[in-house]
Amino acid sequence: MDLGLTEEQEMLKATARDFLERECSKSLVRDMMEDERGYPPELWRKMAELGWMGLAIPEKYGGVGGDFFDLVVLLEEMGRACLPGPFFSTGVVGGLAILAVGTEEQRQELLPRIAKGEMIVTLALMEPNARYDASGVRTSATADKNGYIINGTKLFVENAHIADYILCVARTAKGRAPEEGLTLFLVNGESTGINCTLLKTLAADKQCEVVFEDVMVPKGNVLGEPGQGWAVVEKLLEQATVAKCAEMVG
């Protein structure tokens, strides 16, 4: 098995290193630790123009058409530069989730916006009980004639304060096992009833507490099959673990 980089991946690696050495200085990284947004919009725009936001998004949705390995190559260089901003939560977690289980309508609407750098996404999973397994999800989503009503609290939601959409894991039904009855929702970040608070962390990164209080979500914003969300979350966590390791190696 050949584990070496392809010619295209070598070019991606070299281009990313040159760009980040030029555009992402250590002083910028320190400044973003104090900046409430946590990232410079101009740098975000330039990254989008390079195609990085849509690296693993198919061309028919406005992306580059790369694969997960391409993302790993790029993330290693981003880690080397300590790149600040919502690339991981958007280009990795959010984008891969929508691509994997989104409807064709959701893909057509959302993936091009991610690829253009016009949308920020994040995952809301952990709760005050600090568990990453299915039994830790207490946030509820109650069916309503117009959709679902979400109530609960999520912790350490990266970039939630600037997110256009929050991918929220909530319980829509009680099952025989904790994994049953969990659903993924694309919640508009400006929805009434969302209260987002930046947390003080040792790394000065942008982690948030997000409180959902009677937040209405349309049925069309369910991501994947209702009640079948945990299998998607598990796959997403596996991908995110590999991606984060690549970033940390960098």
Side-chain angles (χ1 to χ4, degrees), residues 22-39:
R22 183 175 66 252
E23 300 287 345
C24 187
S25 64
K26 292 297 181 286
S27 61
L28 174 66
V29 174
R30 294 189 182 95
D31 288 344
M32 290 303 104
M33 293 171 69
E34 304 298 327
D35 186 281
E36 184 173 338
R37 291 171 304 184
Y39 78 104

PDB file of all heavy atoms in Angstrom, residues 22-39:
ATOM      1  N   ARG A  22       2.861  33.305   5.077  1.00  0.00           N
ATOM      2  CA  ARG A  22       2.736  34.702   4.653  1.00  0.00           C
ATOM      3  C   ARG A  22       1.553  35.415   5.322  1.00  0.00           C
ATOM      4  O   ARG A  22       1.649  36.576   5.694  1.00  0.00           O
ATOM      5  CB  ARG A  22       2.582  34.738   3.132  1.00  0.00           C
ATOM      6  CG  ARG A  22       2.514  36.141   2.526  1.00  0.00           C
ATOM      7  CD  ARG A  22       2.496  36.086   1.015  1.00  0.00           C
ATOM      8  NE  ARG A  22       1.281  35.469   0.488  1.00  0.00           N
ATOM      9  CZ  ARG A  22       1.225  34.268  -0.062  1.00  0.00           C
ATOM     10  NH1 ARG A  22       2.314  33.521  -0.154  1.00  0.00           N
ATOM     11  NH2 ARG A  22       0.089  33.785  -0.528  1.00  0.00           N
ATOM     12  N   GLU A  23       0.443  34.715   5.470  1.00  0.00           N
ATOM     13  CA  GLU A  23      -0.804  35.351   5.891  1.00  0.00           C
ATOM     14  C   GLU A  23      -1.183  35.116   7.358  1.00  0.00           C
ATOM     15  O   GLU A  23      -2.011  35.834   7.904  1.00  0.00           O
ATOM     16  CB  GLU A  23      -1.960  34.839   5.011  1.00  0.00           C
ATOM     17  CG  GLU A  23      -1.807  35.124   3.520  1.00  0.00           C
ATOM     18  CD  GLU A  23      -2.032  36.570   3.178  1.00  0.00           C
ATOM     19  OE1 GLU A  23      -2.586  37.313   4.027  1.00  0.00           O
ATOM     20  OE2 GLU A  23      -1.675  36.986   2.053  1.00  0.00           O
ATOM     21  N   CYS A  24      -0.596  34.111   7.981  1.00  0.00           N
ATOM     22  CA  CYS A  24      -1.006  33.766   9.353  1.00  0.00           C
ATOM     23  C   CYS A  24       0.204  33.823  10.286  1.00  0.00           C
ATOM     24  O   CYS A  24       0.730  32.786  10.712  1.00  0.00           O
ATOM     25  CB  CYS A  24      -1.652  32.376   9.372  1.00  0.00           C
ATOM     26  SG  CYS A  24      -2.372  31.908  10.953  1.00  0.00           S
ATOM     27  N   SER A  25       0.604  35.028  10.603  1.00  0.00           N
ATOM     28  CA  SER A  25       1.754  35.219  11.494  1.00  0.00           C
ATOM     29  C   SER A  25       1.378  34.884  12.932  1.00  0.00           C
ATOM     30  O   SER A  25       0.195  34.846  13.291  1.00  0.00           O
ATOM     31  CB  SER A  25       2.227  36.670  11.421  1.00  0.00           C
ATOM     32  OG  SER A  25       1.214  37.543  11.918  1.00  0.00           O
ATOM     33  N   LYS A  26       2.383  34.670  13.752  1.00  0.00           N
ATOM     34  CA  LYS A  26       2.134  34.379  15.162  1.00  0.00           C
ATOM     35  C   LYS A  26       1.472  35.568  15.860  1.00  0.00           C
ATOM     36  O   LYS A  26       0.664  35.399  16.772  1.00  0.00           O
ATOM     37  CB  LYS A  26       3.447  34.002  15.861  1.00  0.00           C
ATOM     38  CG  LYS A  26       4.014  32.686  15.390  1.00  0.00           C
ATOM     39  CD  LYS A  26       3.065  31.545  15.715  1.00  0.00           C
ATOM     40  CE  LYS A  26       3.619  30.183  15.286  1.00  0.00           C
ATOM     41  NZ  LYS A  26       3.571  29.987  13.827  1.00  0.00           N
ATOM     42  N   SER A  27       1.791  36.772  15.412  1.00  0.00           N
ATOM     43  CA  SER A  27       1.146  37.948  16.007  1.00  0.00           C
ATOM     44  C   SER A  27      -0.343  37.970  15.682  1.00  0.00           C
ATOM     45  O   SER A  27      -1.166  38.353  16.524  1.00  0.00           O
ATOM     46  CB  SER A  27       1.809  39.234  15.496  1.00  0.00           C
ATOM     47  OG  SER A  27       1.686  39.350  14.091  1.00  0.00           O
ATOM     48  N   LEU A  28      -0.708  37.527  14.483  1.00  0.00           N
ATOM     49  CA  LEU A  28      -2.124  37.442  14.128  1.00  0.00           C
ATOM     50  C   LEU A  28      -2.827  36.406  14.998  1.00  0.00           C
ATOM     51  O   LEU A  28      -3.937  36.649  15.493  1.00  0.00           O
ATOM     52  CB  LEU A  28      -2.280  37.066  12.653  1.00  0.00           C
ATOM     53  CG  LEU A  28      -3.720  36.803  12.183  1.00  0.00           C
ATOM     54  CD1 LEU A  28      -4.551  38.082  12.245  1.00  0.00           C
ATOM     55  CD2 LEU A  28      -3.740  36.225  10.777  1.00  0.00           C
ATOM     56  N   VAL A  29      -2.176  35.278  15.202  1.00  0.00           N
ATOM     57  CA  VAL A  29      -2.754  34.229  16.046  1.00  0.00           C
ATOM     58  C   VAL A  29      -3.010  34.761  17.452  1.00  0.00           C
ATOM     59  O   VAL A  29      -4.081  34.542  18.035  1.00  0.00           O
ATOM     60  CB  VAL A  29      -1.822  32.998  16.097  1.00  0.00           C
ATOM     61  CG1 VAL A  29      -2.365  31.967  17.092  1.00  0.00           C
ATOM     62  CG2 VAL A  29      -1.682  32.372  14.709  1.00  0.00           C
ATOM     63  N   ARG A  30      -2.050  35.503  17.992  1.00  0.00           N
ATOM     64  CA  ARG A  30      -2.209  36.076  19.343  1.00  0.00           C
ATOM     65  C   ARG A  30      -3.329  37.115  19.356  1.00  0.00           C
ATOM     66  O   ARG A  30      -4.115  37.185  20.308  1.00  0.00           O
ATOM     67  CB  ARG A  30      -0.896  36.693  19.808  1.00  0.00           C
ATOM     68  CG  ARG A  30       0.222  35.683  20.021  1.00  0.00           C
ATOM     69  CD  ARG A  30       1.431  36.325  20.691  1.00  0.00           C
ATOM     70  NE  ARG A  30       2.512  35.379  20.844  1.00  0.00           N
ATOM     71  CZ  ARG A  30       3.524  35.247  19.987  1.00  0.00           C
ATOM     72  NH1 ARG A  30       3.576  36.013  18.913  1.00  0.00           N
ATOM     73  NH2 ARG A  30       4.469  34.358  20.195  1.00  0.00           N
ATOM     74  N   ASP A  31      -3.406  37.925  18.310  1.00  0.00           N
ATOM     75  CA  ASP A  31      -4.469  38.931  18.241  1.00  0.00           C
ATOM     76  C   ASP A  31      -5.843  38.278  18.228  1.00  0.00           C
ATOM     77  O   ASP A  31      -6.788  38.780  18.850  1.00  0.00           O
ATOM     78  CB  ASP A  31      -4.304  39.791  16.981  1.00  0.00           C
ATOM     79  CG  ASP A  31      -3.128  40.743  17.062  1.00  0.00           C
ATOM     80  OD1 ASP A  31      -2.619  40.968  18.186  1.00  0.00           O
ATOM     81  OD2 ASP A  31      -2.708  41.249  16.006  1.00  0.00           O
ATOM     82  N   MET A  32      -5.970  37.169  17.527  1.00  0.00           N
ATOM     83  CA  MET A  32      -7.270  36.495  17.430  1.00  0.00           C
ATOM     84  C   MET A  32      -7.681  35.844  18.747  1.00  0.00           C
ATOM     85  O   MET A  32      -8.866  35.583  18.968  1.00  0.00           O
ATOM     86  CB  MET A  32      -7.236  35.447  16.313  1.00  0.00           C
ATOM     87  CG  MET A  32      -7.185  36.042  14.913  1.00  0.00           C
ATOM     88  SD  MET A  32      -8.566  37.177  14.557  1.00  0.00           S
ATOM     89  CE  MET A  32      -7.734  38.784  14.696  1.00  0.00           C
ATOM     90  N   MET A  33      -6.723  35.602  19.613  1.00  0.00           N
ATOM     91  CA  MET A  33      -7.066  35.085  20.944  1.00  0.00           C
ATOM     92  C   MET A  33      -7.859  36.117  21.729  1.00  0.00           C
ATOM     93  O   MET A  33      -8.691  35.769  22.568  1.00  0.00           O
ATOM     94  CB  MET A  33      -5.791  34.697  21.699  1.00  0.00           C
ATOM     95  CG  MET A  33      -5.049  33.515  21.091  1.00  0.00           C
ATOM     96  SD  MET A  33      -3.421  33.226  21.844  1.00  0.00           S
ATOM     97  CE  MET A  33      -3.891  32.666  23.482  1.00  0.00           C
ATOM     98  N   GLU A  34      -7.606  37.392  21.447  1.00  0.00           N
ATOM     99  CA  GLU A  34      -8.301  38.475  22.135  1.00  0.00           C
ATOM    100  C   GLU A  34      -9.521  38.972  21.360  1.00  0.00           C
ATOM    101  O   GLU A  34     -10.372  39.666  21.903  1.00  0.00           O
ATOM    102  CB  GLU A  34      -7.345  39.649  22.370  1.00  0.00           C
ATOM    103  CG  GLU A  34      -6.078  39.293  23.127  1.00  0.00           C
ATOM    104  CD  GLU A  34      -6.376  38.780  24.531  1.00  0.00           C
ATOM    105  OE1 GLU A  34      -7.365  39.253  25.122  1.00  0.00           O
ATOM    106  OE2 GLU A  34      -5.637  37.906  25.019  1.00  0.00           O
ATOM    107  N   ASP A  35      -9.589  38.625  20.081  1.00  0.00           N
ATOM    108  CA  ASP A  35     -10.689  39.071  19.228  1.00  0.00           C
ATOM    109  C   ASP A  35     -11.936  38.224  19.501  1.00  0.00           C
ATOM    110  O   ASP A  35     -11.849  36.998  19.562  1.00  0.00           O
ATOM    111  CB  ASP A  35     -10.273  38.936  17.760  1.00  0.00           C
ATOM    112  CG  ASP A  35     -11.297  39.519  16.813  1.00  0.00           C
ATOM    113  OD1 ASP A  35     -12.319  38.844  16.549  1.00  0.00           O
ATOM    114  OD2 ASP A  35     -11.087  40.642  16.330  1.00  0.00           O
ATOM    115  N   GLU A  36     -13.092  38.859  19.662  1.00  0.00           N
ATOM    116  CA  GLU A  36     -14.302  38.108  20.004  1.00  0.00           C
ATOM    117  C   GLU A  36     -14.701  37.134  18.899  1.00  0.00           C
ATOM    118  O   GLU A  36     -15.159  36.020  19.184  1.00  0.00           O
ATOM    119  CB  GLU A  36     -15.468  39.063  20.285  1.00  0.00           C
ATOM    120  CG  GLU A  36     -16.728  38.328  20.754  1.00  0.00           C
ATOM    121  CD  GLU A  36     -17.828  39.274  21.194  1.00  0.00           C
ATOM    122  OE1 GLU A  36     -17.514  40.434  21.530  1.00  0.00           O
ATOM    123  OE2 GLU A  36     -18.991  38.855  21.199  1.00  0.00           O
ATOM    124  N   ARG A  37     -14.517  37.520  17.649  1.00  0.00           N
ATOM    125  CA  ARG A  37     -14.866  36.616  16.551  1.00  0.00           C
ATOM    126  C   ARG A  37     -13.910  35.424  16.498  1.00  0.00           C
ATOM    127  O   ARG A  37     -14.319  34.312  16.155  1.00  0.00           O
ATOM    128  CB  ARG A  37     -14.819  37.359  15.216  1.00  0.00           C
ATOM    129  CG  ARG A  37     -15.900  38.390  15.017  1.00  0.00           C
ATOM    130  CD  ARG A  37     -15.634  39.211  13.771  1.00  0.00           C
ATOM    131  NE  ARG A  37     -14.315  39.852  13.816  1.00  0.00           N
ATOM    132  CZ  ARG A  37     -13.864  40.691  12.897  1.00  0.00           C
ATOM    133  NH1 ARG A  37     -14.624  40.987  11.851  1.00  0.00           N
ATOM    134  NH2 ARG A  37     -12.673  41.233  13.010  1.00  0.00           N
ATOM    135  N   GLY A  38     -12.653  35.672  16.771  1.00  0.00           N
ATOM    136  CA  GLY A  38     -11.667  34.597  16.771  1.00  0.00           C
ATOM    137  C   GLY A  38     -11.026  34.314  15.433  1.00  0.00           C
ATOM    138  O   GLY A  38     -10.209  33.392  15.309  1.00  0.00           O
ATOM    139  N   TYR A  39     -11.370  35.090  14.414  1.00  0.00           N
ATOM    140  CA  TYR A  39     -10.751  34.889  13.110  1.00  0.00           C
ATOM    141  C   TYR A  39     -10.837  36.177  12.306  1.00  0.00           C
ATOM    142  O   TYR A  39     -11.753  36.979  12.512  1.00  0.00           O
ATOM    143  CB  TYR A  39     -11.438  33.755  12.351  1.00  0.00           C
ATOM    144  CG  TYR A  39     -12.757  34.151  11.713  1.00  0.00           C
ATOM    145  CD1 TYR A  39     -12.854  34.374  10.339  1.00  0.00           C
ATOM    146  CD2 TYR A  39     -13.913  34.314  12.481  1.00  0.00           C
ATOM    147  CE1 TYR A  39     -14.057  34.744   9.750  1.00  0.00           C
ATOM    148  CE2 TYR A  39     -15.114  34.681  11.906  1.00  0.00           C
ATOM    149  CZ  TYR A  39     -15.185  34.889  10.543  1.00  0.00           C
ATOM    150  OH  TYR A  39     -16.367  35.263   9.960  1.00  0.00           O
TER     151      TYR A  39
END
